[in-house]
Amino acid sequence: MASRPLRVMFLTPYFRPYLGGIERAIEQLSFQMQRSNAIEAVGVLTTKYSFPRRPEPTWVDRETTPEGISIYRLSGFPRRSLPIYSVPLVWFSPWRLKRYLDEFKPDVIHFVGDGWFWGHLWAWFWYRGKARFVFTPSFHKLPISRWWLKPINAFLSHIVDRVVALTELEAEGVHKAYRTGRNKLGVIGWGASMNEKTGDSKTNSEECSPDLDDYRRPSGPLTILCVGRLGSHKGQRWLLNTYLMARPQFERPVRLVLVGRDEGASAGIEKFIAQHNLQGEVIVTGEVSDSELAEWYGEADLFTLFSQYEAFGLVFLEAMTHGTPVLTHDVGANREVLSQGAVVVPRFNDAAAAHEMVRLVNDDASRRELGRQAQRYALTEFAWPVVAEKYLEVYQDTRTAA
């Protein structure tokens, strides 16, 4: 006898209208889940904040997106949070949270990210025994100032039914740091698609475009694209210094495009551009819409990002689905995730990064071949339908185990 369809609720501190990497992943996973007969409904329980800790009091309490995702938002008190943590350390009503859970009636509750422990713990308190719990922690080594979060994450890892890491590297870190049993620990990466709105993508590598020049403009400068929040973590200033090192050796006009919302680094970047007379050559777009981001991916000839750490690096795969090769360095899971279609240099080695940037700018044949490899790899290994099917198996196995 077939089981009834599941009602799946994601818990995350930030969600639409704000969309970062984790939020886009939840949205794309939701789109794919809704196409399955095994899923009855998908909801997101979140807050009235955008990253990082920015209060959004005008956002509505409840909303259903055109795609059918039910969104429930909690207000925090006080409205302003101390700037000491990536998630607002404020009071959210446990009773309002329970009211939302009772309204949606989830069979599976999926914690995405390890920051919103308030929501995670109260959701477990109210719905233990009623729903099954899955935890995707997006693990990273905690600085000493945040060691207090370690026992909380360890507790969450023990009370949930399944812990799903994004990479093998992350799974090993979760196992060692939180003593998570390997019998409940799995690995499923995020997905990527060419059309961010619908999640449609070509998963057959033979269907990928045989000539990536079709995606490029016929004339104008070669475009190097960087997508990430403009802050110290994403390394745009380091990229600018590397670009200056490589620039004298470019054999063609080049432009560097920095896409992302400002998180404190924009003024310094603009000052750097002015000091080095890079106006018009280095473009800072600020935050862009989904459609504008897709257009930038389509125009890019090379994608580069030198973050301090990447647990998974969804933006790399988004660029790769458009046939754009990647240049980055060996931090976090980059070496594991970017096994094809990318050049990964040693961590913060500016000489190696500048050398590869020059080579990829000047050598059209190598760059285009790397782009073809990137597209085949991303659309074959990280297509959202494949990722969604893996998570569906986790959700169903979790319920069966109950």
Side-chain angles (χ1 to χ4, degrees):
M1 186 177 189
S3 301
R4 66 175 179 82
L6 294 169
R7 301 180 64 84
V8 178
M9 173 166 275
F10 296 97
L11 257 70
T12 181
Y14 305 115
F15 197 62
R16 270 198 181 277
Y18 170 79
L19 282 184
I22 288 178
E23 293 75 27
R24 290 202 307 278
I26 292 173
E27 187 171 70
Q28 287 295 316
L29 187 55
S30 299
F31 291 160
Q32 296 298 328
M33 287 290 178
Q34 290 174 312
R35 297 178 179 181
S36 171
N37 292 330
I39 298 296
E40 179 180 315
V42 177
V44 178
L45 178 56
T46 185
T47 73
K48 290 188 179 182
Y49 289 84
S50 60
F51 187 91
R53 309 171 306 275
R54 182 181 301 174
E56 305 287 355
T58 61
W59 290 358
V60 298
D61 293 342
R62 296 173 179 82
E63 178 184 358
T64 300
T65 69
E67 298 81 13
I69 302 172
S70 300
I71 303 176
Y72 301 87
R73 298 188 180 96
L74 291 169
S75 299
F77 180 82
R79 184 176 295 174
R80 296 284 178 181
S81 173
L82 293 174
I84 58 175
Y85 186 49
S86 59
V87 176
L89 293 177
V90 297
W91 185 85
F92 297 98
S93 169
W95 298 276
R96 174 61 66 89
L97 188 150
K98 182 179 185 298
R99 189 184 310 166
Y100 285 158
L101 292 175
D102 289 342
E103 185 176 322
F104 185 79
K105 296 181 174 61
D107 301 296
V108 175
I109 297 176
H110 189 163
F111 303 154
V112 185
D114 65 351
W116 195 29
F117 53 86
W118 177 278
H120 297 161
L121 292 172
W122 277 110
W124 175 80
F125 176 81
W126 292 124
Y127 260 63
R128 66 191 190 281
K130 298 180 182 179
R132 311 305 292 171
F133 291 85
V134 177
F135 184 25
T136 299
S138 188
F139 175 82
H140 49 275
K141 291 183 179 179
L142 298 172
I144 294 177
S145 61
R146 294 185 183 176
W147 275 8
W148 55 269
L149 188 58
K150 188 174 180 178
I152 297 176
N153 286 340
F155 179 70
L156 286 171
S157 296
H158 281 78
I159 62 175
V160 299
D161 299 284
R162 290 291 300 276
V163 178
V164 181
L166 297 175
T167 65
E168 294 291 348
L169 176 67
E170 182 177 296
E172 188 62 25
V174 169
H175 172 68
K176 290 181 178 179
Y178 305 148
R179 297 293 187 264
T180 305
R182 295 191 185 278
N183 61 326
K184 69 157 57 176
L185 185 59
V187 176
I188 303 175
W190 292 137
S193 59
M194 290 188 66
N195 189 325
E196 283 297 299
K197 186 65 176 175
T198 63
D200 291 334
S201 65
K202 301 173 186 175
T203 56
N204 186 338
S205 62
E206 294 180 358
E207 295 178 0
C208 296
S209 173
D211 188 352
L212 294 175
D213 289 338
D214 292 342
Y215 292 114
R216 311 295 180 231
R217 295 170 301 151
S219 62
L222 182 144
T223 299
I224 301 176
L225 177 66
C226 175
V227 177
R229 299 186 298 270
L230 301 184
S232 59
H233 174 70
K234 293 299 182 180
Q236 286 90 352
R237 282 296 299 271
W238 194 88
L239 169 59
L240 285 168
N241 285 321
T242 302
Y243 179 82
L244 275 187
M245 291 177 59
R247 186 170 177 254
Q249 301 177 64
F250 292 158
E251 298 174 356
R252 68 202 310 153
V254 175
R255 65 173 178 171
L256 174 61
V257 180
L258 307 179
V259 175
R261 68 185 293 177
D262 181 30
E263 289 188 3
S266 181
I269 290 173
E270 294 290 358
K271 183 178 180 181
F272 184 98
I273 292 172
Q275 286 176 338
H276 296 278
N277 299 314
L278 296 172
Q279 297 93 333
E281 182 178 342
V282 177
I283 301 168
V284 181
T285 70
E287 190 172 13
V288 299
S289 66
D290 293 350
S291 60
E292 290 171 327
L293 179 59
E295 289 176 5
W296 279 118
Y297 280 137
E299 286 195 27
D301 299 280
L302 175 64
F303 183 90
T304 184
L305 179 66
F306 296 95
S307 305
Q308 293 181 9
Y309 184 85
E310 287 291 343
F312 185 75
L314 181 60
V315 290
F316 294 126
L317 294 172
E318 290 176 349
M320 293 167 77
T321 62
H322 289 79
T324 305
V326 166
L327 172 62
T328 186
H329 63 164
D330 191 4
V331 296
N334 283 355
R335 182 74 67 180
E336 177 185 339
V337 175
L338 303 174
S339 62
Q340 298 179 41
V343 175
V344 183
V345 301
R347 181 179 184 272
F348 287 115
N349 187 321
D350 53 1
H355 171 78
E356 290 297 340
M357 185 178 292
V358 170
R359 182 179 70 84
L360 291 170
V361 165
N362 294 341
D363 189 340
D364 290 344
S366 293
R367 187 183 65 254
R368 290 167 182 165
E369 176 56 31
L370 193 65
R372 278 187 277 269
Q373 294 175 14
Q375 190 177 55
R376 284 194 298 268
Y377 173 64
L379 294 179
T380 302
E381 300 296 327
F382 296 96
W384 273 115
V386 176
V387 174
E389 187 63 32
K390 292 178 181 178
Y391 266 110
L392 184 57
E393 290 179 7
V394 169
Y395 297 158
Q396 292 174 325
D397 289 347
T398 299
R399 182 170 70 174
T400 301

